[in-house]
Amino acid sequence: MPHHFNRTALREYDIRGIIDQTLGEADALAIGRGFATRVRRAGGTRVAVGFDGRRSSPALEASLIEGLTGTGVDVVRIGMSSTPMLYYAEATLEVDGGIQITGSHNPAEYNGFKMVLQHKPFFGADIQHLGQLAAAGDWEQGSGAVSDADIVDAYVARLMEGFSGGTYRIGWDAGNGVSGPIVEKLVKLLPGEHHVLFTNVDGNFPNHHPDPTDEANLAALKALVADKKLDFGLAFDGDGDRIGAIDGKGRVIWGDQILSILAQPVLAAHRGATIIADVKASQALFDRVTELGGVPLMWKTGHSLIKSKMKETGSPLAGEMSGHIFFADEYYGFDDAHYAAIRLIRAAHSIGKSVTQLRGDMPVMINTPEMRFQVDEARKFAVVDEVLARLEAAGADVIRIDGARVNTPDGWWLLRASNTQDVLVARAEATDAAGLERLMAMIDAQLAASGLSRGPQAAH
């Protein structure tokens, strides 16, 4: 029987939707059948499956496994797990692919699927192909077996591999996501003093939304660090592939600033290596990589796109503003917030400065958070094309890697279309407040010329 997905569910980097509205068990069955068909036609036979702590995840897992096994693929269940744990399973078990059931950092009513096939990201045209296979009912037939693998202790041991010390007092906020049990195991192995928050897995996320890139969600961690006078704090999103951090003074260490700290020991070991960051990252990061003897590479936003670029360039380290940090140095090249946390501890220890000092040493830039505003799905890429055409005609200094990133004497501003939502994303960075105002005025003028307005936004 053919199956048709809701048009909003098949996204650029994953499949995601609202349970029983745009995504359900019938979709999970079709995803299993389509993915297993791809696996079999590539000569594979086994797939690892994990799921996050959302209430809808077990039912989706049952339907997904029914689809996989009914298409002739064997399934290795790793149970409730973080997305990086699923990636680890795919990298180390004898399997040909992996699927994680997760709504990532979306609200509780969402869920979805992240996939990897033959150690490569499965995204873009691959995800659309699942829709085409489903619409045609073009699936293989067969009967696969199901086995279970308990890998959490092996995964945690792998995170600690190469740990060379660093005794700190750290706060950890798991946000009721699936990082909780991993954090509980990690802190027992780490030296120092550790205080944990919200490590019980609860798919309703009762304490705060599990997105550490929104400063409002770090309030409890800031209070803990201040109350206990801790050295720094670490936070994780719902499925454990994005990290957030604050220093001992409660200042947020944004994704590009975390990458800036991590780059120092990596470039000491791999002088001249390429360090990749997405188009939203601060110019201060790219300058710092150069200063450390590395080659900075600005690339498109999106974890699948970054992973592919790392393989292409042999980069040992990459990151995004959104808190995805990717290590190929001593690791597998995928985004793992737990491993990034361990490497941040290692970096502070090897550099010989406190995390608070490392944050304080960074150049002071005045920038906006990521600004998002609604635009019709059919219009979002067209608006960016119009902006690029006008900028080109005006002779502006534009980087066109992912939307328009415009360099000016005041700093830079960015306008790009989101690959996952019907929004445009803007960001600006300057060395002073007056410069930032001028950059924001440029964004407003470009939006107005395309019949849009930005609305009120704040800077940080």
Side-chain angles (χ1 to χ4, degrees), residues 391-416:
L391 290 167
E392 204 159 79
D397 178 4
V398 187
I399 298 168
R400 304 173 61 115
I401 290 167
D402 184 1
R405 177 163 163 151
V406 184
N407 295 315
T408 83
D410 287 315
W412 59 270
W413 61 268
L414 170 74
L415 186 73
R416 60 180 289 274

Side-chain angles (χ1 to χ4, degrees), residues 139-294:
W139 295 316
E140 299 290 324
Q141 300 293 325
S143 180
V146 180
S147 60
D148 294 293
D150 184 358
I151 64 164
V152 64
D153 288 333
Y155 169 67
V156 171
R158 180 63 184 84
L159 296 176
M160 290 295 296
E161 212 172 278
F163 186 78
S164 53
T167 304
Y168 298 100
R169 302 175 67 247
I170 305 170
W172 305 72
D173 182 351
N176 300 111
V178 283
S179 290
I182 295 164
V183 166
E184 291 277 10
K185 286 177 179 288
L186 261 183
V187 298
K188 288 178 180 154
L189 300 175
L190 286 165
E193 181 186 323
H194 302 277
H195 300 265
V196 299
L197 293 171
F198 317 135
T199 54
N200 58 308
V201 180
D202 185 336
N204 291 320
F205 306 118
N207 292 290
H208 62 75
H209 186 58
D211 179 358
T213 63
D214 181 344
E215 192 165 359
N217 297 326
L218 299 173
L221 183 61
K222 287 184 180 186
L224 175 69
V225 168
D227 180 51
K228 304 281 187 187
K229 297 183 172 55
L230 303 180
D231 296 321
F232 57 98
L234 299 163
F236 306 91
D237 74 339
D239 66 329
D241 61 4
R242 301 193 309 147
I243 188 173
I246 60 169
D247 73 0
K249 294 182 177 178
R251 294 176 295 191
V252 177
I253 310 173
W254 300 101
D256 52 359
Q257 295 174 324
I258 294 171
L259 189 61
S260 177
I261 296 170
L262 295 171
Q264 187 167 340
V266 170
L267 286 169
H270 305 279
R271 189 149 184 85
T274 298
I275 307 293
I276 302 171
D278 74 326
V279 72
K280 292 184 281 190
S282 170
Q283 186 58 42
L285 167 67
F286 298 108
D287 293 345
R288 178 67 174 148
V289 169
T290 301
E291 185 185 308
L292 291 167

Side-chain angles (χ1 to χ4, degrees), residues 306-368:
I306 297 271
K307 278 181 264 205
S308 298
K309 198 66 175 174
M310 284 182 84
K311 284 197 165 155
E312 181 191 317
T313 60
S315 167
L317 174 66
E320 294 185 274
M321 278 302 296
S322 58
H324 289 277
I325 304 287
F326 312 79
F327 271 97
D329 176 54
E330 298 182 34
Y331 209 55
Y332 305 96
F334 57 72
D335 38 338
D336 185 336
H338 316 117
Y339 188 66
I342 296 298
R343 290 295 292 255
L344 184 61
I345 297 167
R346 285 175 56 182
H349 178 63
S350 69
I351 293 167
K353 292 183 178 179
S354 70
V355 168
T356 304
Q357 190 179 350
L358 290 167
R359 172 67 176 82
D361 287 347
M362 292 178 186
V364 177
M365 311 295 276
I366 300 175
N367 45 41
T368 66

